[in-house]
Amino acid sequence: MQRSAGSILEVKDLTKEFGGLRAVNGCTLEVQAGSITGLIGPNGAGKSTLFNLITGFETPDRGRILFRGEDVTGLPPHRIFQRGLCRTFQIPREHRGMTVLENLMLVPPYQIGERLWNPWLRPRAVRRQEMGIRDRALAALEMVDLVAWQDRPAGELSGGQRKLLELARTLMADPAMILLDEPGAGVNPTLMRRLTAVIQRLREERGVTFLIIEHDLDLVTRLCDTVIVMSEGATLAEGPPDAIRRDPRVVEAYLGGQYVAVEG
């Protein structure tokens, strides 16, 4: 895949306070289209709040958010989602009592079968759309290697499989960009390798851009093109992973004196 030039996401002077605590403090950053960008920083740096602001779960006190050149500041989550900017959560939010396949088939909006009278008045159209959505859902499950689980309740999945399911759910929106909140947390190495492979494949085959909050610096170094470091609600540093690991500001602010930069 040939990557697109220019930025897909621009955050400009974003600020958010909660009861006098400034969680995001004039944060400014850009994410390049077609990239896999890491977002790191110490606990309390404002990373998850920034994700909430970008995806409409919180409204900023000041600043602007541009996605594909459009100002999406303050839009509700469903409208941002419909524009192709999706996110996953540190704790997956699947419908545990529904099957894995049903979890995906719920995602597409404006399904004609949702209107009370259409199953009776337009049964063929309802069935045709439903079959199309099912085919897309199976393709998404194939991408994340969960096809064998399609008829099982989502609540039976392991923690790592639930994260794969949540990523598959975002694919049902045909996203241009996905924000991942700590995809490696609680995931065993085998499933983490699978998740990493899916992320790389989606970037290469579909051109999906990723912004990833992650504390595992080895994972960030292997996976990401660029790393953005947040500290005290603002952007502290940005650059290639190897350069970030050697930046003394990052060693001090993010990792404290306990981190030893890796040479080579």
Side-chain angles (χ1 to χ4, degrees):
M1 184 212 74
Q2 184 176 3
R3 297 181 197 168
S4 303
S7 59
I8 188 172
L9 177 71
E10 299 175 65
V11 171
K12 300 184 177 183
D13 195 30
L14 213 59
T15 297
K16 180 65 178 181
E17 293 187 1
F18 297 99
L21 173 65
R22 185 164 290 187
V24 176
N25 185 19
C27 183
T28 296
L29 58 84
E30 293 187 14
V31 176
Q32 298 302 305
S35 70
I36 301 175
T37 299
L39 181 65
I40 68 172
N43 291 330
K47 304 181 299 296
S48 291
T49 301
L50 178 64
F51 266 29
N52 288 338
L53 293 169
I54 292 171
T55 53
F57 288 88
E58 299 284 354
T59 301
D61 299 321
R62 187 179 70 240
R64 299 173 65 206
I65 303 161
L66 302 178
F67 178 62
R68 295 201 280 194
E70 178 186 2
D71 192 333
V72 297
T73 312
L75 291 182
H78 71 276
R79 291 183 61 188
I80 293 176
F81 181 84
Q82 290 166 4
R83 283 161 170 76
L85 177 55
C86 305
R87 72 167 295 178
T88 65
F89 292 86
Q90 185 176 358
I91 301 175
R93 301 185 176 189
E94 76 284 346
H95 301 282
R96 297 177 62 84
M98 302 181 72
T99 69
V100 167
L101 183 62
E102 288 169 342
N103 266 267
L104 269 63
M105 292 183 67
L106 279 177
V107 174
Y110 312 122
Q111 297 188 40
I112 58 178
E114 293 174 349
R115 293 183 178 272
L116 182 62
W117 55 85
N118 278 338
W120 285 272
L121 298 180
R122 304 175 60 195
R124 291 183 180 178
V126 170
R127 181 62 175 167
R128 186 165 55 249
Q129 185 187 57
E130 186 177 272
M131 291 304 295
I133 292 172
R134 185 178 187 277
D135 288 345
R136 288 176 54 202
L138 287 172
L141 290 177
E142 180 72 32
M143 174 72 75
V144 301
D145 198 20
L146 287 178
V147 173
W149 291 79
Q150 62 180 290
D151 296 321
R152 302 282 291 276
E156 294 183 4
L157 298 178
S158 69
Q161 289 172 322
R162 290 165 64 197
K163 292 195 174 185
L164 287 167
L165 174 61
E166 190 163 19
L167 181 56
R169 289 173 65 191
T170 69
L171 299 183
M172 296 298 292
D174 193 22
M177 182 174 183
I178 301 175
L179 278 59
L180 300 178
D181 193 346
E182 295 196 41
V187 178
N188 68 51
T190 298
L191 283 177
M192 192 62 240
R193 285 193 295 271
R194 184 186 303 172
L195 182 58
T196 299
V198 171
I199 292 169
Q200 292 170 326
R201 184 178 171 188
L202 287 171
R203 190 266 293 273
E204 296 302 325
E205 294 183 4
R206 300 193 185 185
V208 178
T209 303
F210 287 89
L211 179 62
I212 304 173
I213 293 176
E214 183 53 63
H215 287 290
D216 184 341
L217 285 190
D218 289 332
L219 174 61
V220 169
T221 300
R222 293 195 309 270
L223 184 60
C224 297
D225 312 304
T226 300
V227 179
I228 298 170
V229 185
M230 285 188 71
S231 180
E232 299 180 346
T235 301
L236 175 68
E238 178 179 349
D242 287 343
I244 289 297
R245 291 181 71 131
R246 293 169 174 79
D247 190 318
R249 296 172 299 169
V250 178
V251 174
E252 179 64 27
Y254 173 53
L255 301 156
Q258 301 176 0
Y259 176 72
V260 178
V262 177
E263 297 297 334

